Amino acid sequence: MPTLLLKSQTTAWIEELPRHLPDLKVRHYPDIGDPAGIDYALVWLPPPGLLKSLPNLKVIFSLGAGVDHILADPELPAGIPIVRISDPHQCHLMSEYALLAVLYFHRAMPAILADQLQAKWTRRWPLYTPETAVGVLGLGEIGQDIARKLCAIGFPVHGWSRSPKRVDGITCHHGQAGLRAMLPLCRYIICVLPLTEATQGIIDAAFLQALPPGAFVINMGRGGHVVDKDLLAALDIGHIAGAFLDVFDVEPLPPAHPYWQHPKVVVTPHCAGDVVPRTAASAIVANIRRHLGGDKLHNVYQPDRGY
Amino acid sequence: MPTLLLKSQTTAWIEELPRHLPDLKVRHYPDIGDPAGIDYALVWLPPPGLLKSLPNLKVIFSLGAGVDHILADPELPAGIPIVRISDPHQCHLMSEYALLAVLYFHRAMPAILADQLQAKWTRRWPLYTPETAVGVLGLGEIGQDIARKLCAIGFPVHGWSRSPKRVDGITCHHGQAGLRAMLPLCRYIICVLPLTEATQGIIDAAFLQALPPGAFVINMGRGGHVVDKDLLAALDIGHIAGAFLDVFDVEPLPPAHPYWQHPKVVVTPHCAGDVVPRTAASAIVANIRRHLGGDKLHNVYQPDRGY
């Protein structure tokens, strides 16, 4: 009987997974039982060494679109495929957040909320939307969904990815030259990149300087994408007008971090997207069935590209 | 030479209108010149008696989707057609605002912004969007655009109008019975109705009670649609979880009004939508051309239905 170890506080997985594969036995960490009996692991932040302690582990399922939190395990066993999750509802949640963040700045909510505290009636009009572009960094499932929805509500949208892509209605760029060409065009920039060696610290002083004055930064990727001191400096000199940040180098964001009190920063507690058992369980089980049947797994992490 | 009197602080009209009709002469209030030489008036809030003082006035163009501000003139001359504006960019602005207001509540921004002030990291997840409906009151051009965009980003959408309508992807209701059927289904309710005798005070205690507990009210129609004391009472007992209000009985909203300081209310200064000369001028001029050519005007106010 195939057995999966779950390391998550979301207990709905215990019911949802066997709904799609009644034979599947789910053990909920820390109740591991016999480590040799575990075939699959579904984990967010595995305690270092946990995965190595499972001698017959066959597939690691990440409870997120990224795998950086799993690669962080210094004792990660080699040679076991790591599968990234693909959850349509997670895409949906991420897109809601992206639209909210763009519209929050586009419709001057920081100023309007500040005015309200003083009972001040000052009408504020947005830039003309059909001429106000949004750039999306990362054109995987999530980035494409965000780009398409921003396009549907009337923004011109640019997208950037490592390798060339085509997405209907979106102006696509790629590589270093593409990034340099795109940034000056974007009033809003949204990061949904995977965290890799190549993307670590991508939002640095040079990146921010390449954006037009008054641009806004939205980070929904990983904290490691942003060089915090560079972003704070760009906010303080006024070149960047605001930042909407969901992810941080250290989470929860420490109480003394300057982002918390910065008047131009909105801090959200890594809540842009989440993997939802009711919509993600079927994709996980489909991969388990592929594995049981000897077929190729979908969405496997590729070390050469870093995601 | 056809002559139009403009009463607006937006001077771009003076350039934009003749771009589409070079023969058109525009006089900018208060520089009226000879009142007998004025054929058309383009006005938002006409001073009482102004329109009556123009003996050869042929068409009144409202600088808004509604006409209630023009009907408020006690000396409004009878028998002159009043034309409502149709501006695609105004629809667009209204939809941006509606999406922002829905997502602001849906993604718990009031709580997240309050948490930030205390450097508090508390993750908050929305209700499952595919099961969380939005109701749109009013299915004219603006209401339909809002409904379609909410639908495109994943919300189930109900729409309500005076007479039966069909809109792809939207569950349409009409009349009093339709309203009673729809309200209990809607976690978010958005008002973009015209203000008429039939819609005055429509958002009253009974209406609010019919919404599910924890519902949110978004008013982008007119202040007169909401019975303020009923909304405040429903907020205070907690049946209504929040309100996003752009329009008020008296504007600017007086500094002492309880909405300003209410923790569950977002007050915005009638900035949800605006008529933009660069996108609206062509539709106005098209109507002037129709009139000059003896053809039927579009978007004429119909007193029997009130809009």
Side-chain angles (χ1 to χ4, degrees), chain A residues 44 62-70 90 94 191-196 199-203 219-228 245-251 270 273:
Chain A
W44 172 241
S62 167
L63 261 173
V67 296
D68 49 299
H69 47 288
I70 290 173
Q90 187 184 29
M94 297 287 280
C191 175
V192 284
L193 289 165
L195 187 62
T196 68
T199 65
Q200 174 85 34
I202 189 172
I203 303 179
N219 189 18
M220 320 166 51
R222 292 284 183 256
H225 288 124
V226 172
V227 179
D228 292 340
L245 306 175
D246 189 49
V247 285
F248 306 91
D249 260 335
V250 178
E251 295 180 6
H270 202 145

Side-chain angles (χ1 to χ4, degrees), chain A residues 4-296:
Chain A
L4 176 141
L5 175 64
L6 171 70
K7 165 89 173 57
S8 164
Q9 286 166 7
T10 307
T11 53
W13 293 108
I14 299 167
E15 284 171 28
E16 286 289 339
L17 291 167
R19 269 207 322 120
H20 298 269
L21 183 62
D23 274 355
L24 185 71
K25 201 166 154 24
V26 178
R27 298 185 192 166
H28 192 195
Y29 180 89
D31 297 327
I32 295 183
D34 175 13
I38 291 169
D39 305 289
Y40 308 109
L42 176 59
V43 294
W44 172 241
L45 271 176
L50 169 66
L51 297 171
K52 192 186 175 187
S53 75
L54 309 172
N56 295 313
L57 186 64
K58 296 171 184 76
V59 183
I60 299 166
F61 292 94
S62 167
L63 261 173
V67 296
D68 49 299
H69 47 288
I70 290 173
L71 300 179
D73 180 354
E75 299 181 65
L76 182 70
I80 298 177
I82 304 174
V83 171
R84 298 180 298 128
I85 222 155
S86 163
D87 175 6
H89 191 64
Q90 187 184 29
C91 279
H92 177 94
L93 286 169
M94 297 287 280
S95 292
E96 282 185 0
Y97 182 100
L99 264 62
L100 169 60
V102 168
L103 292 173
Y104 185 85
F105 287 134
H106 193 54
R107 301 307 296 261
M109 284 305 293
I112 287 176
L113 292 173
D115 286 349
Q116 183 174 348
L117 294 175
Q118 302 175 59
K120 217 167 101 183
W121 181 276
T122 306
R123 302 180 85 189
R124 298 170 191 276
W125 301 108
L127 294 183
Y128 188 60
T129 305
E131 294 173 355
T132 306
V134 185
V136 179
L137 302 172
L139 288 175
E141 279 182 347
I142 291 169
Q144 288 195 28
D145 194 64
I146 291 172
R148 267 191 294 261
K149 285 174 180 167
L150 283 165
C151 194
I153 71 164
F155 286 94
V157 181
H158 295 266
W160 181 77
S161 52
R162 192 175 135 277
S163 51
K165 296 221 175 168
R166 291 188 65 159
V167 185
D168 275 356
I170 311 306
T171 309
C172 291
H173 309 258
H174 72 278
Q176 277 310 307
L179 189 62
R180 276 195 301 276
M182 181 179 94
L183 292 180
L185 309 175
C186 301
R187 185 164 180 83
Y188 304 101
I189 194 93
I190 301 173
C191 175
V192 284
L193 289 165
L195 187 62
T196 68
E197 269 180 41
T199 65
Q200 174 85 34
I202 189 172
I203 303 179
D204 61 5
F207 178 107
L208 295 165
Q209 191 53 45
L211 290 167
F216 295 89
V217 173
I218 297 158
N219 189 18
M220 320 166 51
R222 292 284 183 256
H225 288 124
V226 172
V227 179
D228 292 340
K229 69 171 176 38
D230 292 357
L231 177 56
L232 287 163
L235 288 163
D236 289 338
I237 62 168
H239 179 69
I240 298 298
F244 213 103
L245 306 175
D246 189 49
V247 285
F248 306 91
D249 260 335
V250 178
E251 295 180 6
L253 185 66
H257 198 287
Y259 282 149
W260 280 117
Q261 304 300 333
H262 200 290
K264 294 181 183 170
V265 175
V266 176
V267 171
T268 65
H270 202 145
C271 64
D274 196 20
V275 172
V276 181
R278 68 195 279 182
T279 55
S282 64
I284 293 170
V285 165
N287 254 336
I288 292 178
R289 284 188 195 280
R290 278 182 204 108
H291 183 260
L292 291 171
D295 295 328
K296 214 178 152 199

Side-chain angles (χ1 to χ4, degrees), chain B residues 252-274:
Chain B
L253 185 67
H257 199 287
Y259 283 149
W260 281 116
Q261 304 300 332
H262 200 290
K264 293 181 183 171
V265 176
V266 175
V267 171
T268 66
H270 203 146
C271 64
D274 196 21

Side-chain angles (χ1 to χ4, degrees), chain B residues 189-247:
Chain B
I189 194 92
I190 301 173
C191 175
V192 283
L193 289 165
L195 187 62
T196 68
E197 268 179 43
T199 66
Q200 174 86 35
I202 189 172
I203 302 179
D204 62 5
F207 178 107
L208 295 165
Q209 191 52 47
L211 289 167
F216 295 89
V217 173
I218 298 159
N219 189 18
M220 321 166 51
R222 292 282 183 257
H225 288 123
V226 172
V227 179
D228 292 339
K229 69 172 174 39
D230 291 358
L231 177 57
L232 287 163
L235 287 163
D236 289 339
I237 61 168
H239 180 69
I240 299 298
F244 214 103
L245 306 175
D246 190 49
V247 286

